[in-house]
Amino acid sequence: MDQNLIPFQEYLPSLDSWFDLSTEQQQHFLSFFHNPDFAHHSPAQRLSLYLHNKLVTFHYLGENLSASEALRENKGNCLTLAVVTTALARLVNIDLGYQLMSSQPVINVKNGVWLSSDHVRTLLYKPAEPGAPLLERGAIVVDYFPDAQDISGPTLPETRFHAMIFNNLAADAFIARQNPKAYALAIAALQQDPGYVPAVNLLALALKRAGALDQAQSWFHYGTHLADPNLSLLANYRDFMKTRGDLQAALHIEQQIESAHFGNPFADLVLALEAYHHRNYQKAQRYYQRVLRQAPHLQKAYLALLDLYLQEGQYQQARQVAETAIQYAYEPGLQSFYQAKLAALSQQPE
């Protein structure tokens, strides 16, 4: 263990314990898995069937629970479901992987602090010839409340998945104002994956709250030089520099945010909402346009952009948005809505 974490050892759960199952839980799963009635299914299909049966009554709450807790209490978030799937797959030696998803933003902006977590799903790989690469094998997807608007991202190494576990726990502790615990868990996440930006963000926030401002600034700065830009870290860094009176640095970070490609249209959706909240309607329009360039099917962005153009009396732009949006409106009610808007807009001058 890192010497810096020894005083905080009580806050750090064993990673292995996060995947432990009770004897009763193991027996319940194994009796299903080895049931002759399911012998014609592949191992991955049997595990998927077991989870499907469990998820019928599963409560999709934003709680971070261990595998044993989740099965006992029948609830958890997307990461919890991945933990449960991993624990069960380990019992029967099924190869699995993890995939990042771009989904509706899991971003919590509370009291001026931006926190984010990732949506991850599990891939149960089907049997293959010995030596065949995992990525060339078929996989069964286990996802937490899948959404048709989700966008598949890259597969993740196991170390990143482990970092996500510690980071989610760190976020829980930070929100509960348990600062030493948040600090220790963020460090533990970075021990798993030194490049995991959400953990860098949390560590900087914990240091800021503890009054270690120079250290916090160093960690924020470090996070901006990692591979992928992270909206929560950049927004917190911007606001942090404002509180330190360095408005030039804050403006530079704001420019980074505006020019960054986050690889997730929902991050730009959050920026559009922030701009609207601050009555910066032109900036909100730009962000909504950026959202739609990445995800032209996203009706939430069309509706907000249409409302903005109507609010500003920009009827030609509103008409163009409605004409495009209706092409992606698959619900009859939504189609009727856009048709009515287009009819009303046809009465407006060009």
Side-chain angles (χ1 to χ4, degrees), residues 90-107:
R90 288 180 177 180
L91 280 180
V92 289
N93 298 314
I94 294 175
D95 291 327
L96 79 166
Y98 309 99
Q99 185 175 34
L100 190 66
M101 300 296 292
S102 297
S103 61
Q104 297 283 354
V106 191
I107 296 176

Side-chain angles (χ1 to χ4, degrees), residues 218-288:
S218 294
W219 278 102
F220 277 131
H221 183 72
Y222 167 72
T224 64
H225 286 80
L226 295 173
D228 301 319
N230 179 276
L231 172 57
S232 293
L233 180 133
L234 287 170
N236 286 326
Y237 191 16
R238 173 199 62 195
D239 297 342
F240 175 78
M241 296 311 293
K242 285 181 182 178
T243 63
R244 300 207 85 181
D246 193 338
L247 299 184
Q248 185 175 355
L251 177 60
H252 175 70
I253 298 164
E254 179 66 26
Q255 291 169 344
Q256 284 183 272
I257 292 173
E258 291 189 16
S259 63
H261 176 65
F262 295 105
N264 181 347
F266 297 106
D268 290 312
L269 187 62
V270 172
L271 287 169
L273 292 169
E274 183 196 36
Y276 184 86
H277 176 73
H278 291 293
R279 300 181 184 277
N280 193 333
Y281 300 132
Q282 288 189 340
K283 182 181 286 188
Q285 289 174 10
R286 290 199 303 272
Y287 281 127
Y288 281 124

Side-chain angles (χ1 to χ4, degrees), residues 67-320:
S68 181
E69 291 170 330
L71 288 176
R72 183 176 65 249
E73 300 178 25
N74 206 36
K75 63 182 181 181
N77 58 18
C78 72
L79 199 69
T80 297
L81 178 56
V83 168
V84 170
T85 307
T86 302
L88 297 174
R90 288 180 177 180
L91 280 180
V92 289
N93 298 314
I94 294 175
D95 291 327
L96 79 166
Y98 309 99
Q99 185 175 34
L100 190 66
M101 300 296 292
S102 297
S103 61
Q104 297 283 354
V106 191
I107 296 176
N108 181 9
V109 185
K110 188 173 183 179
N111 298 325
V113 173
W114 295 60
L115 297 175
S116 62
S117 59
D118 291 313
H119 178 184
V120 63
R121 67 183 188 181
T122 312
L123 307 175
L124 300 174
Y125 291 109
K126 298 176 182 178
E129 294 297 323
L134 281 180
L135 295 180
E136 294 181 8
R137 294 160 55 177
I140 294 175
V141 173
V142 179
D143 199 358
Y144 165 90
F145 209 68
D147 190 320
Q149 295 182 340
D150 288 348
I151 301 170
S152 299
T155 55
L156 304 172
E158 189 175 51
T159 51
R160 173 61 57 92
F161 176 58
H162 292 165
M164 289 177 177
I165 294 172
F166 282 119
N167 186 69
N168 274 23
L169 296 174
D172 287 345
F174 187 85
I175 291 170
R177 305 196 71 81
Q178 298 170 338
N179 209 53
K181 185 176 182 179
Y183 168 85
L185 288 164
I187 288 285
L190 291 171
Q191 288 180 328
Q192 294 293 322
D193 185 345
Y196 189 47
V197 184
V200 174
N201 179 50
L202 263 170
L203 181 58
L205 289 171
L207 289 165
K208 174 189 172 186
R209 181 180 280 173
L213 301 185
D214 289 341
Q215 292 182 59
Q217 184 170 333
S218 294
W219 278 102
F220 277 131
H221 183 72
Y222 167 72
T224 64
H225 286 80
L226 295 173
D228 301 319
N230 179 276
L231 172 57
S232 293
L233 180 133
L234 287 170
N236 286 326
Y237 191 16
R238 173 199 62 195
D239 297 342
F240 175 78
M241 296 311 293
K242 285 181 182 178
T243 63
R244 300 207 85 181
D246 193 338
L247 299 184
Q248 185 175 355
L251 177 60
H252 175 70
I253 298 164
E254 179 66 26
Q255 291 169 344
Q256 284 183 272
I257 292 173
E258 291 189 16
S259 63
H261 176 65
F262 295 105
N264 181 347
F266 297 106
D268 290 312
L269 187 62
V270 172
L271 287 169
L273 292 169
E274 183 196 36
Y276 184 86
H277 176 73
H278 291 293
R279 300 181 184 277
N280 193 333
Y281 300 132
Q282 288 189 340
K283 182 181 286 188
Q285 289 174 10
R286 290 199 303 272
Y287 281 127
Y288 281 124
Q289 289 163 356
R290 202 158 85 173
V291 169
L292 291 169
R293 285 196 293 271
Q294 299 172 76
H297 60 281
L298 198 60
Q299 287 297 326
K300 182 179 292 188
Y302 285 117
L303 292 168
L305 188 56
L306 177 60
D307 184 60
L308 272 171
Y309 283 140
L310 291 173
Q311 180 179 308
E312 295 294 297
Q314 297 174 273
Y315 299 122
Q316 183 176 351
Q317 291 90 332
R319 186 179 302 110
Q320 291 171 349

